[in-house]
Each structure stands twice: as structure tokens, then as C-alpha cells.
Amino acid sequence: MLKMQSIRKSYRTDTIETHALRDFSLAVDEGEFVSVTGPSGSGKTTFLNIAGLLETPTSGQYLLDDEDVGNLNDRDRSRMRNEKIGFIFQGFNLIPDLSLFDNIDVPLRYRGLKGRERKKRIEKALEQVGLSARAKHLPAQLSGGQQQRVAIARALAGEPRFLLADEPTGNLDSLMARQVMELLEFINEWGTTIVMVTHDPDLARRAHRNIQIVDGQVADLQHGAASATAEIA
Amino acid sequence: MIGYYISLAMRSLRGTPILSALMVAAIAVGVGASMTTLTLNYMMSRNALADKDDVLFAVQLDNWDPHKAFHNPSEMPWQLTYKDAIDLLRSDIPSHQVAMHRWGGPIALEGSELRPYTVEARVTSRDFFALFDIPFIHGGTWPHAADNNSAYQIVLSQRTNEKLFGGENSVGRTVNFNGAPFTVVGVIEDWQPSPKVHDLNNGDFLESAEVFLPFGLHRALEIYPWGNTNGWKSEDINSYEDQLGSEYVWIQYWAQLDTPEQMERYRDYLTGFIRERKAQGRFPRPLKFGLSNPSEWLALNEVVDGDDRMLSWLSLAFLLVCLVNAVALLLAKFLRKAPEAGVRRALGASGRSIFSQHLVESGCIGFAGGLIGILMTLVGLALIRQLAMGHMDTVASMNWLMMLSAIGLAILSSLLAGLYPAWRISRTNPSIYLKTQ
Ligand SMILES: Nc1ncnc2c1ncn2[C@@H]1O[C@H](COP(=O)(O)OP(=O)(O)OP(=O)(O)O)[C@@H](O)[C@H]1O
Ligand SMILES: [Mg+2]
């Protein structure tokens, strides 16, 4: 479902050029649960942003569902993001002055769904994460774990086939982290493809497959290159 | 989607009440100031006779001092002498023509409780109503004979008829004007062009006449006009007959010329008219006459002068300053909410929909600013009316068109103000704001 070929991403400022990804190639199949690990600054978030169509690679080819997304304009990329991709962030990123209900409503609005259909989906998503009773609450009124569950509900409400999670448990204690992980595994069992960046080796092991990014490239686990450290070019 | 954007805008504005109030105030003050001057200018330059611009002409004849032209842009007196007006009325070339001047006096009703009160009057030849297209509610104008012989007939405005007769058909009834009994022959719909394009000699924006009297009454009543009389020659005026025969100008004259041929003939006629009088020793200046349509007449009379226009530009410049302020405030507000825009992008909003969302928010601010701006305009105009003490009542007021323009101006301004901030926020890279919160 996801196929990246020789992706390069570099950030250029006035004085330095940073190669966040270089010669990065990866394929993820439908239904997989892939965990991504690697040292800080190695390019994990950059990879997720490109996979989620939030950023464009400097060069290389990215096929999502066999479609070359390099040729799409902003509107089409946004529509694809809205329909196929769900995001979960380390910082939850709920909109603080919207209720849980309205937060989950956001992607459905951009989908252009009718009011009744949106309500149905929002209620179902809240139920899935066990927060039906809190629909009217503001994010600040919830614990971190609950907020992350709302963020997951928001990512799920649009029924994406592809869920991208960037350290979803990074800000949570181990109990909460386990609950979120169980939720993600449950979602994956129902068919959603998941790519999750994590620093937690235990969680990483629970995925079908673990890939390690080192210095902007997928490290070859078989050959023990995992010890390489990030470096800025 | 626009409904969603509006509800988001409302929520966002409520979330930062002070900042929102400042932005609304910036727009409101700018709109208030510019709409006050624009309304004045618009109302002052309105041409109530615009639809007759092709056929109506104010007539000027240069009977002035050989050594010194009349002091106005046309270098001809605004008005005519009585004797020339009487002679011009004999021409059969114009479809309609009017000789007239302002007058006034007390009006009363015999045997009525109503105390006599003073009204503005217009002494005019009978075609006045036809020439200016003023519809009659009852009756009609007086017969042709009344333009030359004294006939005590009177036409009332609707308002006067309302006051004296409670709005009944008063044709045939008698009213007392200036101490003499007059028979009512007609009642017209109220006619209050502002500016008073038909008579710009006597207060551009004062109220028009309430009663109309035949031009043939001059000798019988020895009418001296209310309003401007100008002269250049020292003449012995010992009797009313001397006044009528003098070179004093005090009669306004309009002719309706429907076709180019009529126009051509009338020009020839006026040329001959002046030549004839030159032969009699009058009209000592080079032969010159004027035929100005209502628009030209308003411009010639400088109803809206350079200062008024300058003021409009100044107030628009002030609006611009207010807008620059609004831009700065909007930019600050939008950029503070950039993380939210980043989340929305991640959830599928296109750059364009982020742009629209923020532009709608600016528009809402503009709408609120427009409403308050209208209030400010109304206050500004009330102040002007106060200061002008009655001279500006008809122009220092807003009609629906001006109110709509105020809202339009406010929304347009706020959209302009929001354009750059909205564009900035829609172009920021969402991933920057998604790393942490
Ligand atoms: N917008 C940017 N401008 C310049 N450099 C950037 C930008 N975003 C990322 N980088 C650089 O690209 C490299 C990869 O960053 P990335 O955020 O992908 O790392 P990461 O693997 O997610 O790290 P962490 O585990 O700390 O989140 C880093 O060296 C970072 O400094
Ligand atoms: Mg990261």
C-alpha cells in the first residue's frame, strides 16, 4: 500500500543543509503493523510527514495505493490525506477550544459529510475509545491518556486505511501507554495499516515488523548496523 | 462549508474578546469616518433631475457690466431680469419653460383652528410641474392666462394639503396666503430635490416650496423675491414698475428642449434675442448665453467643492490607516493559532480551505465593524446637522444605499485586511507545528 523508492529529503537554511532522509526505500503492505525506531534526529518524523503527505520529498518516488503522489497538487494531496490517512501525535494535538465532539468532527467536515452521518461516526469513534460520556468536554479536562484516545478516535472517525503514529505513547506513563498500544493493536486487527514511531523497545517488538532508521536511511537489521548514530551533514 | 467557517470564526472571536474588539473598533472607526464624508459628498452631488439631463437646460443671458464679468465660473449671472424672462416666455420653441423665483409668507385657512404659519413659496410660470415631472394628486396647474394676468390661484404640496385640509381633495377651496384669498387648483406630491438643483441661488440644501403661485401676480401683489437679487448698474428704482424694468437679475429660468433641432432653433432664437436687445442699448458685453443641463448646472454651481472632495480623500486615507492596524492585529491573532491550522492540515484541510476559514473570520470582523461603523456614521452626520443648524438636514442623512455601502465597505476592507494574514497562515508548513504542542 505504501512504497517509497530512493526518497531524499533535505532542509536547507542559509548556512547548512540537513539531509533528514537519504536514499530511503521502504514498502509497507496492507494490514501491516510496522514499528519504527531509531536515534533522535535520524529522520523518523520526517519519514512519517512524507508518508502522510504533509511534506514533499526533495527527490525520489512515493506511491500510495499505487498512485504517484509526487504529481498531486495541494488540494488532491489534502483530499487523499483526509480520506486515507489518520495521524496520531506525541503531543495529542487536540484543538484546545473545541469539545471532544467537535475535535473528532474536524476531519469529517473536510470530508464534506452530512450532519447526521458525522454525528453517527463521531459517536461510534468515541465509543470505541471508551469516552462516550465526555463528548462535551474540552481536551484540557481530560488526562493525557484520555486525550490520546480522543486523538485516536479523531484519526479513526474518517475510517482511514492507514494510521501514522509519531510516538503516541511518548507522553504517557506505562499503564496508559499499554492501553493505547492495545487500542492500536485492536484497530490493526480490524484491518487498518499502522506505522508507529516509538522509542520503547517493548512496544516496538509487539509490532509485526520493526524497522530502524539511522542517519536518514533504513538500517539493515540483519547486519547489525543499528548502532550507528545520527549525524548532521 | 461557509457555515462551518462562520461558526469557527465566532468561536475564535469569542475566544479573544479584547483583540476582537480592537479589530472591530479599527474597522468601525475607519468606516465611520469615511462613510460620514462619503455620505455628505454623495448626497450633495446627487442630481435629482439626472433622468432629464438630456432635455432640461438652465438658461443664462449675459446682461452684465461691460467692465466686469459676473463673478462665477460661467462669467454670466445665474439669473435673468424680469423683463427678459417675460419676453423669453413668449417663445414657442421649448416644449416647456419656467420662469420663477423664491417667495414666502404666512398661510392660513379661514375659520380654522390652525394658527397662520409661514411657508416657502415659489412664484412660477405654469409649466413648472410639467417641466420637472411633478405629479399631481388632485387638480392641476393654472391656465396659461395666469402667467400674464393676476389670478389668485394656488397649488399646494401634499404636506401643506395634509396640514390645512387633513389630506382631502382641496381643489376649489380657498386658502389665505400673505393676506389674500387664493383658490386651490391643485395638490402635488411632495417634491424635495436635494440639492435643490432647480434653484441653487437660495441655499443648496434648504427645503423646497410648500405652495406655488402664478407668475402673473407680480404687479397685483408687488412681489419682491425671497433670495438673491443682483445688479451692476446704478438705477433709480422709485416704483415697483421700476423694479420690473431694471437690470436686476432675480428670475430663474429653465427650458425643456427635447430634440437637437429644438436646441438648434433655441440657440438661434437666443442669439437673435440678445442682438435685438443690444440694438436697444442693453447687453453691453460680448454676446453670450448659457444652456446647462442639470449635471452641468450642479457642477457650475460648485455644489460639491474641492474642499469637500479633499475631505473624502483624507477620510479614505484614514480608513487605510485603520486597515493597516487591522492587518497587524489579524496577523498576530492568526499566527498565534498556527498550530491549530497545522492540525487541520494534517486532518485533511487544504491550504485553500485554511485560507477561506481565516478570510471568513476577517469578514465577520468586518461585518461587525460595518454595523458599528453605521452607528458612528449616524452620530457623525447628526453632529454635522447640529453644527450646520438646519442647512444640511437633507444631505446629512443616510439612505439605505449608503447603509449597504457602509457594510460593503467594511466587509471589503476587512477582507482586504485579512488577505495577507490568511495567506500567510495557509502557507505555513503544518509539520512545524505538529512536533509538540
Ligand atoms: N523543518 C526543518 N528544518 C530544518 N531541519 C529539519 C527540519 N525538520 C527536521 N529537520 C532535521 O532533520 C533531521 C531529522 O529530523 P526528524 O524530526 O525526522 O528526527 P526524528 O527521528 O523524528 O527525531 P526524534 O526522535 O528526536 O523525534 C534532524 O536533523 C532535524 O534537525
Ligand atoms: Mg520525531
Side-chain angles (χ1 to χ4, degrees):
Chain A
M1 106 161 276
L2 170 153
K3 196 164 191 305
M4 285 187 182
Q5 197 66 53
S6 308
I7 292 282
R8 194 164 67 82
K9 177 73 182 175
S10 43
Y11 295 103
R12 199 192 302 267
T13 55
D14 289 340
T15 47
I16 42 168
E17 191 175 8
T18 311
H19 299 284
L21 294 178
R22 49 187 175 197
D23 197 23
F24 184 95
S25 300
L26 180 72
V28 175
D29 291 331
E30 181 103 45
E32 266 197 293
F33 192 147
V34 177
S35 65
V36 178
T37 52
S40 181
S42 59
K44 304 182 294 295
T45 298
T46 305
F47 156 64
L48 277 195
N49 284 342
I50 289 173
L53 306 176
L54 282 174
E55 294 204 56
T56 46
T58 311
S59 68
Q61 195 188 42
Y62 173 23
L63 302 178
L64 183 61
D65 278 342
D66 298 327
E67 184 166 5
D68 188 346
V69 296
N71 303 324
L72 299 179
N73 61 22
D74 176 65
R75 231 183 84 209
D76 292 334
R77 292 162 61 84
S78 298
R79 170 150 4 96
M80 213 169 188
R81 190 158 63 234
N82 180 264
E83 287 172 4
K84 293 193 173 164
I85 298 165
F87 273 104
I88 306 170
F89 307 96
Q90 177 176 0
F92 320 141
N93 284 315
L94 297 174
I95 296 172
D97 51 355
L98 296 188
S99 68
L100 306 194
F101 188 96
D102 289 336
N103 259 289
I104 299 172
D105 192 27
V106 172
L108 306 181
R109 290 279 187 169
Y110 294 117
R111 181 77 64 90
L113 296 177
K114 290 258 179 328
R116 200 140 36 87
E117 173 71 12
R118 293 202 313 269
K119 189 161 184 283
K120 214 175 74 192
R121 288 200 187 199
I122 295 166
E123 280 163 359
K124 188 176 146 212
L126 275 169
E127 203 180 295
Q128 278 178 327
V129 299
L131 286 167
S132 293
R134 316 291 290 267
K136 294 253 162 61
H137 286 216
L138 290 175
Q141 294 167 314
L142 303 183
S143 74
Q146 288 169 329
Q147 288 191 38
Q148 193 59 299
R149 270 145 64 193
V150 176
I152 293 171
R154 184 174 66 182
L156 292 180
E159 294 175 0
R161 290 181 23 241
F162 194 21
L163 194 62
L164 301 174
D166 196 352
E167 299 182 38
T169 59
N171 282 358
L172 303 176
D173 64 34
S174 54
L175 180 70
M176 293 262 200
R178 226 176 37 235
Q179 283 179 3
V180 165
M181 187 62 194
E182 275 160 14
L183 187 56
L184 291 178
E185 282 171 334
F186 177 76
I187 292 161
N188 177 246
E189 271 163 36
W190 280 83
T192 307
T193 310
I194 297 182
V195 173
M196 176 183 74
V197 170
T198 182
H199 276 131
D200 185 331
D202 291 336
L203 294 183
R205 267 196 295 277
R206 285 168 68 165
H208 303 168
R209 175 156 71 112
N210 175 241
I211 62 162
Q212 189 161 31
I213 299 181
V214 177
D215 200 10
Q217 278 180 305
V218 180
D220 192 339
L221 288 175
Q222 270 77 40
H223 294 86
S227 61
T229 50
E231 96 191 24
I232 294 166
Chain B
M1 216 53 192
I2 191 104
Y4 182 53
Y5 295 152
I6 289 176
S7 80
L8 287 178
M10 288 304 152
R11 209 191 294 259
S12 160
L13 293 178
R14 263 185 272 121
T16 53
I18 293 184
L19 197 58
S20 306
L22 280 175
M23 288 186 288
V24 169
I27 304 258
V29 167
V31 166
S34 42
M35 282 315 287
T36 302
T37 57
L38 289 178
T39 300
L40 276 182
N41 260 304
Y42 164 78
M43 297 297 266
M44 283 162 77
S45 60
R46 231 173 7 164
N47 179 1
L49 299 175
D51 55 331
K52 306 207 88 184
D53 250 2
D54 296 339
V55 296
L56 287 197
F57 300 92
V59 180
Q60 284 174 283
L61 301 174
D62 191 5
N63 69 324
W64 216 241
D65 186 347
H67 307 296
K68 212 166 111 238
F70 193 92
H71 189 70
N72 73 13
S74 69
E75 303 202 320
M76 282 184 278
W78 297 121
Q79 305 178 94
L80 308 187
T81 64
Y82 175 82
K83 56 189 176 189
D84 290 330
I86 285 286
D87 289 345
L88 282 185
L89 279 175
R90 293 206 185 88
S91 163
D92 57 4
I93 300 166
S95 311
H96 297 296
Q97 52 194 334
V98 173
M100 63 185 181
H101 65 83
R102 180 183 174 218
W103 197 37
I107 195 164
L109 198 56
E110 208 77 46
S112 149
E113 309 263 283
L114 202 70
R115 292 246 308 270
Y117 64 101
T118 303
V119 291
E120 281 268 334
R122 185 146 289 268
V123 179
T124 173
S125 53
R126 75 186 293 273
D127 279 0
F128 181 84
F129 312 99
L131 183 131
F132 291 117
D133 264 344
I134 307 166
F136 277 87
I137 301 171
H138 305 296
T141 185
W142 46 80
H144 262 298
D147 279 348
N148 294 310
N149 309 296
S150 57
Y152 286 76
Q153 303 189 340
I154 195 167
V155 168
L156 306 179
S157 71
Q158 184 172 9
R159 192 159 65 167
T160 307
N161 188 55
E162 195 70 42
K163 235 170 167 169
L164 296 177
F165 298 104
E168 279 174 38
N169 183 352
S170 58
V171 171
R173 305 277 294 269
T174 303
V175 296
N176 226 298
F177 180 74
N178 223 20
F182 283 81
T183 306
V184 177
V185 293
V187 177
I188 56 160
E189 284 180 8
D190 282 329
W191 190 64
Q192 295 279 354
S194 175
K196 237 168 61 193
V197 51
H198 61 290
D199 178 9
L200 294 170
N201 292 281
N202 301 299
D204 297 351
F205 308 112
L206 288 180
E207 304 219 313
S208 300
E210 294 288 324
V211 302
F212 301 83
L213 306 160
F215 204 68
L217 285 168
H218 280 103
R219 283 192 174 81
L221 297 177
E222 299 210 340
I223 300 169
Y224 287 91
W226 284 19
N228 278 330
T229 298
N230 302 85
W232 56 274
K233 205 172 166 181
S234 59
E235 291 172 280
D236 274 341
I237 310 283
N238 297 315
S239 64
Y240 190 68
E241 212 51 51
D242 287 347
Q243 159 88 8
L244 296 186
S246 71
E247 289 293 334
Y248 284 127
V249 292
W250 49 289
I251 308 289
Q252 296 115 39
Y253 206 96
W254 285 85
Q256 178 172 337
L257 304 165
D258 291 312
T259 64
E261 298 78 61
Q262 255 177 317
M263 181 68 154
E264 186 89 4
R265 281 177 61 208
Y266 201 56
R267 287 180 170 282
D268 291 345
Y269 165 78
L270 289 178
T271 308
F273 185 95
I274 295 173
R275 285 224 175 94
E276 227 170 82
R277 275 146 194 80
K278 274 179 173 294
Q280 296 158 6
R282 293 183 58 218
F283 287 77
R285 297 185 60 76
L287 192 155
K288 191 175 175 191
F289 59 84
L291 291 171
S292 313
N293 70 21
S295 299
E296 293 162 345
W297 194 236
L298 283 167
L300 204 56
N301 278 270
E302 296 182 324
V303 174
V304 181
D305 63 21
D307 287 352
D308 297 326
R309 268 187 215 108
M310 187 64 176
L311 207 58
S312 293
W313 286 115
L314 277 179
S315 68
L316 284 175
F318 180 67
L319 175 63
L320 196 70
V321 172
C322 294
L323 282 190
V324 170
N325 266 300
V327 172
L329 293 170
L330 278 173
L331 198 59
K333 185 180 164 80
F334 288 178
L335 289 182
R336 234 190 47 183
K337 304 229 325 176
E340 176 184 330
V343 175
R344 288 182 178 279
R345 293 282 276 141
L347 295 173
S350 61
R352 208 171 140 159
S353 87
I354 295 292
F355 180 76
S356 309
Q357 180 198 334
H358 289 86
L359 210 56
V360 165
E361 187 168 335
S362 318
C364 290
I365 291 168
F367 185 73
L371 289 182
I372 297 175
I374 287 183
L375 290 181
M376 293 189 143
T377 309
L378 291 175
V379 170
L381 292 174
L383 272 174
I384 287 170
R385 283 199 297 273
Q386 198 90 47
L387 290 174
M389 292 186 300
H391 288 276
M392 303 290 267
D393 283 8
T394 55
V395 278
S397 63
M398 270 184 125
N399 57 17
W400 278 110
L401 186 69
M402 289 319 272
M403 297 222 188
L404 285 181
S405 319
I407 296 271
L409 182 67
I411 293 181
L412 187 77
S413 317
S414 64
L415 290 183
L416 275 178
L419 222 47
Y420 174 67
W423 179 80
R424 266 291 295 275
I425 185 83
S426 73
R427 293 303 300 268
T428 45
N429 185 344
S431 60
I432 292 173
Y433 295 104
L434 294 171
K435 295 195 171 150
T436 46
Q437 203 173 23

